[in-house]
Amino acid sequence: MTDKHLSTQFDSELSGISTRVLEMGGLVESQVAQAVYALSNFSGEIAGQVLKQEQRVNAMEMEIDRDLSSIIARRQPTARDLRLLIAVSKTIGNLERIGDEAARIARTVQRLLNTGMSSRMRLPVGDLAFEAELATKQLRKALDAFARLDTGAALEVLKQDDQIDQEFEGLMRKLITYMMEDPRTISSAIDLVFVAKAIERVGDHAKNLAEVIIYVVKGTDVRHNPVEAVETLVR
């Protein structure tokens, strides 16, 4: 078997892995959107669908991880190819955790329905939906950047991370106000605090994906670095 044939085969395997990562990313993006829809519309049925999808996300992570181990063992990649495989491993880990956050929101919806929240005051569910929209947009941008290994797009994800944090902080203040004004809302408001935190973590994982992309292309670990320093590297 010629070196050229081996190289072509390896490229095909890398392409196949990347395609499956994007498929997994699309699934968890759908999970988050469905979980927020279930919350906004108090739909136990949709919440149940989100929980069913969690099993598929977990299975995909294990399948891709197994294939990564096989490729590394057989091909013994170096330099950028090795960085890409390491990045894929980190990416699917973050995607699986996003799926966990979506499932956490879905379980909260089920609990709220069981306590009858939908028949009482709704609290700032609309604000949560807006925070989730910001987070899912970040996730979509990160996945698009991964598909193209676009460091410029990854940098934009890092720059916009503060928006989700600010929205989360605003939600916390609003929920505290609700609880102070009407103690009957305390139980439901606390549940929504955990939902808001789950959404904020989706944004954090999208940021992690963006950092991974920069690592693949530039060969530099930019975690815990200020955005200004990352921008200098990317530019």
Side-chain angles (χ1 to χ4, degrees):
M1 188 178 292
T2 66
D3 289 344
K4 182 177 180 181
H5 181 71
L6 284 171
S7 176
T8 301
Q9 195 174 55
F10 183 37
D11 288 344
S12 177
E13 289 176 345
L14 290 177
S15 177
I17 285 281
S18 296
T19 297
R20 288 162 63 199
V21 170
L22 292 173
E23 180 186 349
M24 182 179 176
L27 183 59
V28 298
E29 183 183 337
S30 172
Q31 260 192 303
V32 174
Q34 284 186 308
V36 174
Y37 178 90
L39 178 66
S40 300
N41 294 275
F42 295 95
S43 173
E45 180 182 355
I46 299 298
Q49 290 176 14
V50 173
L51 295 175
K52 287 180 181 178
Q53 285 183 336
E54 184 184 21
Q55 298 173 6
R56 178 57 185 151
V57 170
N58 292 342
M60 289 187 76
E61 182 197 21
M62 294 177 66
E63 290 165 6
I64 296 171
D65 200 38
R66 183 188 62 236
D67 290 346
L68 280 175
S69 297
S70 174
I71 290 174
I72 291 172
R74 288 184 293 103
R75 304 297 185 188
Q76 298 182 347
T78 58
R80 181 165 169 168
D81 287 337
L82 181 58
R83 291 204 304 272
L84 176 59
L85 293 172
I86 292 171
V88 166
S89 180
K90 292 180 178 179
T91 296
I92 61 174
N94 277 283
L95 291 175
E96 190 274 334
R97 291 184 187 97
I98 291 173
D100 287 345
E101 301 301 342
R104 185 169 289 112
I105 296 170
R107 283 191 288 269
T108 300
V109 171
Q110 292 179 333
R111 185 164 57 252
L112 290 171
L113 287 171
N114 289 337
T115 59
M117 179 188 166
S118 59
S119 63
R120 301 199 306 270
M121 61 181 58
R122 299 220 170 174
L123 299 171
V125 173
D127 298 82
L128 283 166
F130 179 71
E131 183 197 10
E133 183 181 356
L134 291 177
T136 50
K137 281 182 179 178
Q138 285 285 81
L139 174 58
R140 192 174 306 119
K141 287 177 184 176
L143 290 169
D144 288 345
F146 176 85
R148 304 190 306 272
L149 291 181
D150 185 340
T151 56
L155 177 62
E156 290 305 309
V157 173
L158 299 184
K159 285 182 174 181
Q160 293 167 5
D161 182 61
D162 284 347
Q163 288 181 279
I164 299 173
D165 294 338
Q166 291 168 6
E167 188 66 24
F168 173 73
E169 290 169 6
L171 265 167
M172 290 303 97
R173 290 192 295 270
K174 187 170 288 189
L175 286 167
I176 289 170
T177 299
Y178 271 83
M179 288 186 279
M180 291 175 64
E181 291 179 348
D182 187 351
R184 293 174 302 170
T185 68
I186 289 176
S187 178
S188 296
I190 289 174
D191 277 326
L192 294 187
V193 166
F194 288 113
V195 169
K197 187 60 181 177
I199 295 170
E200 192 244 356
R201 285 183 182 134
V202 171
D204 287 342
H205 289 303
K207 178 184 176 184
N208 292 346
L209 298 184
E211 291 171 342
V212 162
I213 293 160
I214 295 170
Y215 166 70
V216 172
V217 177
K218 298 294 183 179
T220 302
D221 190 342
V222 298
R223 290 176 297 176
H224 313 302
N225 283 306
V227 173
E228 295 77 15
V230 180
E231 186 169 16
T232 300
L233 174 68
V234 170
R235 301 297 184 198

